[in-house]
Amino acid sequence: MQKLANIRGFWPYLFAIFLNVFIEFGHKIVIQNTIFKAFHGEQQILLMALINGLILLPFILLLSPTGFISDRYPKNRVMVVSAWCSVALSLAIAFCYYQGLFWQAFVIAFLLAVQSAFYSPAKYGYIKPLFGRENLAQANALVQSVSIIAVLASMLIFASLFESFYQPESLTPEQILQSMAPLAWLLVCNALFELWMAYRLPNVQKAPYKETFDWKKYRTAGYFKRNVAIFTSQPIIHLSIIGLAMFWSITQLLLASFPAYAKENLSITSALVIQAVIITSGLGMVIGSWIAGRYSKNHIETGLVPLGAIGFAMTLWFLPFMESAFAQTVCFFLVGMMGGLFIIPLNALIQFHAKKNEMGRVLGLSNWVQGICMVMVILVTAGFAYYGIDSAILFTFTAIFALVGSLYTIYKFPQSLARIVLNWSIARRYKVSIQGMQHVPEQGGVLLLGNHVSWIDWAVLQIACPRTVRFAMDEKVFARWYLGWFFKLLGCIPVNMLNITPQSLLDIAKVLDQGEVVALFPEGTMSRNGHLGEFKKDFETVCSHTQCDIVIVPFYMRGLWGSKFSHSSTNLKEVRRRALFRDLVIAFGQEMTKESNAEQVKRCVFDLSVKSWKTHANELQSLGCAWIDTVKRLGSQRAVTDSTGKKLSANVH
C-alpha cells in the first residue's frame, strides 16, 4: 500500500473512482427505495428487475464504442469527459427530484449507466500503465475495495437519509421523490469533486491507438466479430471473463431477489435493515479483496481463484437455510469475502494478458459478457416472480449453478489449486519477494532459464510467474504412480535427463510454439555448492527448432540454498532450520532473443543474482527493527539475558 501510494496520481485516481460509483449508486438507491415503498408484490419485483436491467443495457449495446474510445484516447481524458457527464446528470437529477418526475429520474439511472459503460474500461485500463504489471493484483484489490466501499457508503448514507426524509403520507412515487429533493445536492457536490480529481490524473498513455471509428463496420458487426476473435484466441482471458460474469450474475440475482425474500420469509419491512444485510456482503468483499492483494504482492496469485469459487458456492448453498437476519448477514459476509478472493486474480489476469492496444476492447468485452449474463439472471428472477415461485427455491438454484461453476473452474485451472497449496506451504517458512515480473511477456512462447539449487525450485517459480509454467521433468520421477498424476496436473513435460533425445527437445519446442511458458534448468542438475554451474546447450537446440518468435527470460532464485531441499551441508541446514522466517527472492531479467547462447544466458543470470541482492538489501529492515520483529515471534520463549542472568521474553513488559 505504501509503495503504491507514492505513485503520482494515486490519490486522485482513487477519489475519482470512489465518487463516480458513489453518485451512480446513490441515485439508484433512491429509485429502488422509492419502488420498495410505493409498489408491492410482483410489480415491485418486476420494477426492481427493470431498473437493474436498464443499468446493464448500456454495457451490452455499447460494447464496441466503449472499448474503442478507451483504446483510442488517453484514459485520463476519457475519465475527465465522464466526470463532466456526471455533473450534467446530477443537475438533471436535482431537477427531477424537485419536480417529482419519477419516470424521468428512472431514465436518468439508465443515462448514468451509459456514462459508467464508457468510464469502466478507462478506469480499469488505467491500472496497468499507472501501477505497473508487477502491482496488478494489489492495485486491482485496492480499486475493487474502493469501489465496494463507495457502494456501501452510498447504500448506507442514501438509505439512512431516505428513511429520514421519507414521509409516511407520501403514497405515490412522485410524492416520495419530491421529499428526497435535498439528496440531489449531495450528488451534485460529489460530481464537482470528481471532476476536480479527474483533472489531476496524469497522462500515462504514451502511444494512443490511432484508428478512427468506422460506423459502417459497427453497424455490420465488424467490431463485434473482432472483439469475439480476441475473446476466443486467448483462453486465459475468456476463462477469466466467464468467471467474472458468473460471479456478478449471481450477485445481481441476490440483490434483485433478496428484498422480496426478506419481506416474505423473514418478515423484514425496513429498507434500512435490508440494505444493512446486503452491505455485509460488500464488507466481506472488501476483506476478501484485501486478502487477495496481500497474498499477491508483486505477483498474481491465481491459486485464490478455485479457493474462492469453492467457498462462494458453499456459502450460497447454506443461504436459504438461514432463518434469522443475523444468520443471513453472516452468509452474505462470507459470500462477499469468497467473491473477493475469486475476482481479484481474474481481473489482474485479464489486464496482464491483454495487449496494450486491445485493453479497452477486452475490458469492454468483459463488461458485455457480464451484462448479458446479468440480464439473463434478471429475466430468470422476473420469471420466478411472475409465476409466484418462492425466492428460497431461486436461491437453491443459484447455489447449484455456482457449484457447477466452481467445479468447472477447478477443471480448467487445476494448476492453480495445487499452486495455492504450494504457496501456503512455502509461506510458512519463507517471506517470498518477486522482482521484475514486468519482464515476463503477457503472450507468446517464453523460455525461462535460471539457476537450480533445490528440489522445490519448480514450485517456487510457478508461484512467482503470472502465467502457467510447464517444466521439463525427469521421466523416472514422472513414472512414479504417487507423483505422476500431480506433475501431469501441473503440465510437466517428461524428459530423460540422463540422455535427452532430439525428440524430447522437439516436444519442448512445440510447446513453446503453442505460445506457452516452459522452464528449463540449463545446469542440468541441482547445484552442489550453491553457485552457478556450467550451462548446457540443450536449450539452444530447443530454440533452433521453434518456428515462432519466442523469447528467453532469465531468472535467479535466492534463499533456497541451505534448506532441507538443497545439497548444502548438514550444519548449514541446521542453522537455517532454526530461523523462523527466511527471505526467498525470485528475480526475472529482461527478455533475450532465442538466438542467445549458453554463455550469454549464464552471464545474464549471474548479473541478475547481483542486481537482485542489491534490490533486496535496500528493502530490508534495519537491524534493530528486524531484531524486535524476531523477538515478537518468539512469544514466551527466551529472547535476551541481562547481566544479572535474568531471562526475558517478548511477553515481559
Side-chain angles (χ1 to χ4, degrees):
M1 173 66 180
Q2 184 64 35
K3 180 181 177 182
L4 298 182
N6 293 331
I7 296 174
R8 179 172 171 261
F10 174 85
W11 292 111
Y13 177 62
L14 292 189
F15 276 118
I17 290 172
F18 178 92
L19 294 167
N20 187 268
V21 175
F22 185 84
I23 294 167
E24 181 184 358
F25 271 83
H27 178 58
K28 179 183 175 183
I29 293 300
V30 172
I31 297 297
Q32 283 184 331
N33 286 354
T34 301
I35 293 171
F36 185 79
K37 294 290 187 181
F39 302 93
H40 306 280
E42 295 178 5
Q43 190 179 17
Q44 180 191 106
I45 295 178
L46 290 174
L47 284 174
M48 285 288 192
L50 180 60
I51 185 67
N52 287 310
L54 285 176
I55 289 172
L56 295 173
L57 196 59
F59 293 93
I60 299 173
L61 299 179
L62 301 175
L63 163 64
S64 298
T66 56
F68 177 87
I69 288 177
S70 180
D71 287 332
R72 174 64 178 82
Y73 300 100
K75 294 171 178 56
N76 61 308
R77 285 180 56 190
V78 177
M79 295 172 74
V80 167
V81 174
S82 296
W84 273 110
C85 292
S86 291
V87 172
L89 291 173
S90 62
L91 290 172
I93 289 171
F95 178 78
C96 291
Y97 283 12
Y98 276 98
Q99 298 299 316
L101 304 175
F102 173 75
W103 295 109
Q104 288 83 346
F106 198 95
V107 173
I108 290 179
F110 169 76
L111 297 179
L112 278 173
V114 172
Q115 178 265 346
S116 182
F118 284 94
Y119 189 85
S120 181
K123 174 179 73 174
Y124 284 104
Y126 195 66
I127 293 176
K128 187 175 178 179
L130 181 65
F131 296 106
R133 286 191 290 177
E134 67 276 14
N135 295 315
L136 271 178
Q138 279 187 298
N140 270 281
L142 187 62
V143 170
Q144 193 68 54
S145 297
V146 169
S147 299
I148 295 167
I149 291 171
V151 172
L152 299 182
S154 183
M155 292 173 67
L156 183 62
I157 292 173
F158 280 90
S160 300
L161 292 177
F162 185 95
E163 292 292 337
S164 299
F165 287 110
Y166 175 69
Q167 300 172 1
E169 62 272 14
S170 299
L171 300 177
T172 66
E174 290 77 14
Q175 291 173 335
I176 295 173
L177 203 62
Q178 281 184 315
S179 65
M180 300 298 139
L183 295 182
W185 296 112
L186 180 59
L187 297 176
V188 173
C189 292
N190 280 278
L192 292 172
F193 190 35
E194 178 195 353
L195 181 63
W196 181 44
M197 290 293 104
Y199 271 108
R200 297 185 62 192
L201 294 173
N203 184 5
V204 292
Q205 188 176 6
K206 297 181 180 179
Y209 195 46
K210 296 299 183 182
E211 182 181 350
T212 56
F213 193 77
D214 188 342
W215 286 101
K216 181 179 179 181
K217 194 174 182 179
Y218 175 53
R219 291 192 302 271
T220 57
Y223 284 121
F224 177 78
K225 293 176 182 177
R226 186 171 67 176
N227 292 337
V228 171
I230 297 173
F231 178 78
T232 56
S233 64
Q234 295 293 331
I236 192 66
I237 288 179
H238 76 244
L239 287 173
S240 299
I241 289 175
I242 290 172
L244 290 173
M246 182 195 77
F247 171 77
W248 289 116
S249 299
I250 293 174
T251 302
Q252 184 67 37
L253 185 146
L254 293 177
L255 294 176
S257 58
F258 182 72
Y261 172 81
K263 185 182 285 188
E264 295 172 6
N265 296 276
L266 304 175
S267 300
I268 299 175
T269 57
S270 172
L272 184 59
V273 174
I274 290 175
Q275 296 290 355
V277 174
I278 295 175
I279 280 172
T280 58
S281 67
L283 293 175
M285 196 175 296
V286 171
I287 298 298
S289 299
W290 177 80
I291 294 173
R294 181 179 177 85
Y295 274 88
S296 302
K297 187 176 181 181
N298 296 329
H299 71 296
I300 303 173
E301 183 46 73
T302 59
L304 296 174
V305 174
L307 182 66
I310 295 171
F312 184 65
M314 294 303 295
T315 49
L316 280 174
W317 180 262
F318 288 107
L319 191 61
F321 301 102
M322 302 295 105
E323 298 180 352
S324 68
F326 176 76
Q328 289 282 339
T329 301
V330 173
C331 268
F332 266 80
F333 176 82
L334 293 175
V335 165
M337 187 176 73
M338 293 300 165
L341 294 178
F342 180 70
I343 64 174
I344 295 304
L346 294 182
N347 277 323
L349 284 172
I350 291 173
Q351 294 160 24
F352 179 85
H353 288 276
K355 295 179 180 178
K356 183 178 180 180
N357 62 346
E358 295 178 350
M359 179 71 75
R361 279 173 284 171
V362 169
L363 294 173
L365 183 64
S366 178
N367 289 334
W368 181 82
V369 174
Q370 292 173 40
I372 290 289
C373 293
M374 291 166 77
V375 167
M376 291 174 63
V377 164
I378 290 174
L379 293 176
V380 170
T381 306
F384 271 68
Y386 181 79
Y387 289 104
I389 302 175
D390 193 347
S391 300
I393 298 176
L394 180 60
F395 282 1
T396 303
F397 170 78
T398 304
I400 294 173
F401 176 73
L403 182 60
V404 172
S406 65
L407 294 176
Y408 179 75
T409 301
I410 294 172
Y411 172 73
K412 299 302 292 186
F413 291 95
Q415 300 94 339
S416 296
L417 192 59
R419 178 170 163 158
I420 193 66
V421 175
L422 294 170
N423 196 1
W424 176 79
S425 301
I426 292 172
R428 293 178 65 190
R429 294 300 303 272
Y430 293 94
K431 181 181 177 183
V432 181
S433 176
I434 295 130
Q435 301 173 3
M437 195 188 81
Q438 68 273 16
H439 297 313
V440 180
E442 300 96 333
Q443 299 173 349
V446 178
L447 182 59
L448 297 175
L449 301 174
N451 62 323
H452 189 18
V453 294
S454 77
W455 296 105
I456 61 171
D457 287 346
W458 59 274
V460 173
L461 192 59
Q462 179 63 86
I463 291 171
C465 185
R467 298 174 60 181
T468 299
V469 182
R470 301 188 62 179
F471 296 87
M473 181 162 289
D474 194 336
E475 62 183 13
K476 292 182 179 179
V477 177
F478 207 93
R480 297 174 183 174
W481 66 269
Y482 55 91
L483 292 176
W485 66 271
F486 179 71
F487 291 122
K488 186 177 181 180
L489 189 70
L490 294 175
C492 295
I493 306 169
V495 173
N496 186 341
M497 292 299 184
L498 296 178
N499 184 22
I500 299 180
T501 63
Q503 183 59 44
S504 297
L505 300 178
L506 189 60
D507 291 340
I508 297 173
K510 289 180 180 178
V511 173
L512 289 169
D513 282 332
Q514 292 170 2
E516 298 193 53
V517 179
V518 177
L520 296 176
F521 300 107
E523 294 168 284
T525 185
M526 282 172 50
S527 175
R528 294 282 175 176
N529 56 14
H531 299 293
L532 286 177
E534 179 186 359
F535 275 27
K536 297 181 179 179
K537 299 184 178 182
D538 293 322
F539 77 86
E540 296 180 13
T541 306
V542 170
C543 292
S544 66
H545 285 314
T546 57
Q547 304 298 317
C548 298
D549 190 21
I550 71 161
V551 297
I552 294 173
V553 174
F555 67 86
Y556 185 82
M557 289 184 284
R558 177 186 299 279
L560 288 170
W561 178 251
S563 69
K564 61 182 179 180
F565 305 105
S566 67
H567 283 313
S568 60
S569 66
T570 304
N571 291 337
L572 181 58
K573 288 181 180 179
E574 180 62 23
V575 171
R576 295 295 175 87
R577 186 186 66 82
R578 295 174 183 172
L580 294 177
F581 280 92
R582 293 183 57 197
D583 292 317
L584 177 55
V585 179
I586 307 99
F588 296 102
Q590 294 184 349
E591 297 178 15
M592 303 177 67
T593 64
K594 68 177 184 179
E595 289 79 17
S596 303
N597 59 40
E599 186 60 33
Q600 291 171 328
V601 174
K602 181 180 178 180
R603 168 55 61 180
C604 285
V605 173
F606 179 80
D607 292 342
L608 192 59
S609 70
V610 177
K611 182 180 178 181
S612 66
W613 169 248
K614 290 181 179 179
T615 302
H616 177 62
N618 291 333
E619 297 173 351
L620 291 175
Q621 292 178 301
S622 65
L623 183 60
C625 291
W627 185 86
I628 291 173
D629 286 345
T630 304
V631 168
K632 287 180 179 179
R633 297 192 194 105
L634 291 174
S636 59
Q637 299 180 48
R638 183 177 62 180
V640 66
T641 301
D642 66 11
S643 58
T644 65
K646 184 177 180 179
K647 300 176 181 178
L648 302 175
S649 71
N651 294 338
V652 176
H653 300 287

